[in-house]
Amino acid sequence: MDQPSGRSFMQVLCEKYSPENFPYRRGPGMGVHVPATPQGSPMKDRLNLPSVLVLNSCGITCAGDENEIAAFCAHVSELDLSDNKLEDWHEVSKIVSNVPHLEFLNLSSNPLNLSVLERTCAGSFSGVRKLVLNNSKASWETVHMLLQELPELEELFLCLNDYETVSCSSICCQSLKLLHITDNNLQDWTEIRKLGVMFPSLDTLILANNHLNAIEEPDDSLARLFPNLRSISLHKSGLHSWEDIDKLNSFPKLEEVRLLGIPLLQPYTTEERRKLVIARLPSVSKLNGSVVTDGEREDSERFFIRYYVDVPQEEVPFRYHELITKYGKLEPLAEVDLRPQSSARVEVHFKDQVEEMSIRLDQTVAELKKQLKSLVQLPTSNMLLYHFDHEAPFGPEEMKYSSRALHSFGIRDGDKIYVESKTK
C-alpha cells in the first residue's frame, strides 16, 4: 500500500518506534524521555529507539523538528532511509546533523538528483564512515562534495546510478577502503583508472555488471594506480582476452578475484574455467568466493601445462614456460575407462566338461542358468553355480540369489564358473 506523501522523519520515527509498535528495550531506564513542550508534544513520552534505525520505504520527504531529532537520536549509529521521497539535500542535512554518532547512512533510491548539495550541507555528514547512494542518481559533483567533507569515509556504494564516465576529483580520498560501483555502464578502462587516482588506499573494488571490455594499462602503471587493492569483482564484465586476466597479476596485493559470467570463459567447461584462471593468477588465494588450496593450485598448474602441451609455440602463453620451469614437461594423463565391464570371457566347468564362453554381466543368475541349460543338460531348478576368481583368497563363491546381477560378483575375463547338480 502506498505511503501518504509529505511525511517527516520524526513523524515516521514516532509511529514506528512507539512502545505499542516496537517493544524494544535497551535496558532499564534506557528509553529516551522528551519533556512536553508548552503546546504539548505530539510524541509519546518514551520511545524505545535502537541504535540502528530502519526507516526505508516510509514516504519521508522532510526532516521534521530538529530539536526532537537531536533528543531522540543522540545514540543512533546507523540509519537506513532508502526508498523514501527525499529530494532535498537540505532536509537530509537537518536529519544527519542532529545524529552526532552516525557512522552508517543509506540514502539509496531517493530522488536526490533533483537538488544541489551545498558545502554547508555536506559538512553535516563528516562523521559518516559508510555511505550508500545506490540508485540515487547522485552526480559526480555531489560525490566529490561529500568526499571532501567526509574525512573518515571507508565504504562508498554508488551502484545503479547510470554512470558512463567517472569524473576525477583533484583531491584524493585517502580513507576509502571499499567501493561498490556495480550495475553502471563503465565500459572503458580509462574511466576505471580514475578510481585508482581518487582512491589510492582502495582495498576492495566491486565492478560487477559494468561490461568493462578490457584492462588497457601498462603493468607498472597498474601497480601504481591500485597499490593496496586486495579484492576485485569483475563479475559479468565484458572481458574477452586472457591478456586481461594476466593483467590482474600487476596488482601487488591482490588476493581475491571474482570472474563469473565473462565472455572469455564461456567456451570452456566449468573445470577448465577454474583451473586455467587459477594457474594464471599465482597470488590469488580466493576465486569466485572459494578458497584456492595448495593442492588445488598444484592440480590447476599441472592441468595448465597439459592443456597447452600441443599448442603451437607461438600461441603458448608466457605462464606455460614459467610452469614448465617449476614442474618440467608433463606427459598427457592416460585415459582410463571407468565404465563397468559389460561382458566377460569365462570357463564353464561341469563334470569333465570345460567350455569357454562369453557372458553378459548385466544379466541375472537366473538368466545365466537359462544360458547354460543346453550346455550342461540340467534344468535350471536343479543347477548350482559357483564363481571362482583366481585372485580371491577364499575359493569359489556360490551364486545363490537368482535375481542378483552378474557384475556384482566382480566377474572378469579368465574367471571360472562351476556348475553342479543339486543332490537329491
Side-chain angles (χ1 to χ4, degrees), residues 93-110:
S93 175
K94 288 180 183 178
I95 298 170
V96 173
S97 62
N98 288 291
V99 187
H101 295 104
L102 189 65
E103 295 187 351
F104 173 88
L105 176 61
N106 187 352
L107 293 171
S108 298
S109 300
N110 280 282

Side-chain angles (χ1 to χ4, degrees), residues 76-232:
V76 170
S77 60
E78 298 189 16
L79 179 57
D80 182 355
L81 292 173
S82 61
D83 198 26
N84 279 291
K85 298 179 180 179
L86 290 162
E87 59 182 51
D88 188 342
W89 281 104
H90 186 63
E91 293 299 320
V92 177
S93 175
K94 288 180 183 178
I95 298 170
V96 173
S97 62
N98 288 291
V99 187
H101 295 104
L102 189 65
E103 295 187 351
F104 173 88
L105 176 61
N106 187 352
L107 293 171
S108 298
S109 300
N110 280 282
L112 289 166
N113 60 313
L114 300 177
S115 68
V116 176
L117 175 62
E118 298 174 0
R119 185 174 298 278
T120 52
C121 291
S124 306
F125 297 79
S126 60
V128 173
R129 293 177 181 272
K130 299 178 183 180
L131 179 61
V132 187
L133 296 173
N134 296 339
N135 196 35
S136 65
K137 306 302 184 278
S139 67
W140 281 110
E141 289 73 20
T142 295
V143 173
H144 295 328
M145 181 72 71
L146 288 166
L147 291 175
Q148 292 176 32
E149 299 298 326
L150 275 66
E152 299 178 359
L153 187 66
E154 296 175 357
E155 299 183 9
L156 179 61
F157 295 74
L158 297 174
C159 310
L160 295 161
N161 281 333
D162 298 334
Y163 296 138
E164 295 183 358
T165 60
V166 173
S167 174
C168 199
S169 172
S170 58
I171 301 175
C172 293
C173 179
Q174 298 285 351
S175 61
L176 198 74
K177 298 292 190 293
L178 180 148
L179 176 63
H180 272 259
I181 193 164
T182 68
D183 297 279
N184 285 288
N185 195 27
L186 300 172
Q187 300 185 30
D188 277 340
W189 177 257
T190 51
E191 303 306 321
I192 304 303
R193 73 184 313 278
K194 297 174 187 176
L195 301 175
V197 174
M198 284 195 291
F199 309 119
S201 302
L202 207 59
D203 171 276
T204 302
L205 177 58
I206 313 298
L207 283 168
N209 297 321
N210 265 293
H211 310 294
L212 175 67
N213 50 38
I215 300 176
E216 298 170 328
E217 191 81 33
D219 293 348
D220 57 344
S221 179
L222 277 176
R224 292 193 300 271
L225 276 174
F226 295 95
N228 297 295
L229 193 66
R230 186 194 56 80
S231 176
I232 188 169

Side-chain angles (χ1 to χ4, degrees), residues 215-419:
I215 300 176
E216 298 170 328
E217 191 81 33
D219 293 348
D220 57 344
S221 179
L222 277 176
R224 292 193 300 271
L225 276 174
F226 295 95
N228 297 295
L229 193 66
R230 186 194 56 80
S231 176
I232 188 169
S233 173
L234 295 164
H235 177 61
K236 290 191 176 179
S237 64
L239 299 181
H240 56 271
S241 167
W242 282 112
E243 284 72 19
D244 294 321
I245 308 304
D246 293 336
K247 288 281 186 183
L248 299 177
N249 289 311
S250 300
F251 299 127
K253 295 185 179 180
L254 192 67
E255 299 175 358
E256 181 176 355
V257 174
R258 290 181 181 268
L259 285 169
L260 292 173
I262 65 173
L264 168 67
L265 300 178
Q266 294 308 311
Y268 299 90
T269 67
T270 301
E271 179 188 28
E272 288 170 344
R273 291 171 191 169
R274 185 166 178 86
K275 287 185 173 179
L276 293 176
V277 171
I278 288 173
R280 284 180 179 265
L281 300 176
S283 298
V284 169
S285 57
K286 187 180 285 188
L287 176 64
N288 298 328
S290 298
V291 172
V292 179
T293 64
D294 291 341
E296 184 183 19
R297 176 163 299 287
E298 181 173 342
D299 287 346
S300 298
E301 291 175 346
R302 289 179 176 275
F303 178 90
F304 188 90
I305 292 174
R306 292 188 173 101
Y307 187 87
Y308 285 102
V309 70
D310 294 325
V311 172
Q313 279 298 306
E314 62 273 15
E315 298 177 21
V316 170
F318 179 72
R319 181 63 175 155
Y320 173 83
H321 300 293
E322 291 180 332
L323 293 176
I324 287 292
T325 302
K326 183 176 180 180
Y327 295 104
K329 199 163 186 178
L330 305 178
E331 294 298 325
L333 292 174
E335 292 188 11
V336 180
D337 188 355
L338 299 177
R339 292 174 297 180
Q341 193 173 344
S342 60
S343 64
R345 292 200 65 81
V346 298
E347 289 182 359
V348 178
H349 292 250
F350 178 63
K351 295 182 179 180
D352 295 330
Q353 292 177 255
V354 178
E355 184 82 23
E356 186 176 302
M357 62 187 302
S358 177
I359 60 173
R360 288 185 8 257
L361 299 181
D362 60 347
Q363 65 182 330
T364 63
V365 173
E367 290 170 329
L368 177 60
K369 286 181 177 181
K370 290 179 183 178
Q371 183 180 351
L372 297 175
K373 183 178 178 181
S374 60
L375 175 66
V376 300
Q377 297 296 308
L378 287 175
T380 57
S381 59
N382 197 31
M383 205 182 290
L384 293 175
L385 300 184
Y386 296 87
H387 167 234
F388 179 70
D389 177 355
H390 63 279
E391 294 182 0
F394 303 113
E397 176 187 4
E398 183 178 354
M399 303 170 75
K400 287 183 179 180
Y401 304 105
S402 297
S403 60
R404 184 174 173 183
L406 298 188
H407 63 72
S408 67
F409 291 94
I411 298 173
R412 296 172 294 176
D413 291 337
D415 287 0
K416 299 175 182 180
I417 303 291
Y418 288 91
V419 185

Side-chain angles (χ1 to χ4, degrees), residues 2-22:
D2 292 339
Q3 297 286 350
S5 60
R7 308 177 79 210
S8 74
F9 171 82
M10 273 311 303
Q11 178 185 352
V12 170
L13 189 71
C14 293
E15 290 175 2
K16 180 166 183 177
Y17 291 102
S18 68
E20 292 84 359
N21 296 332
F22 195 86

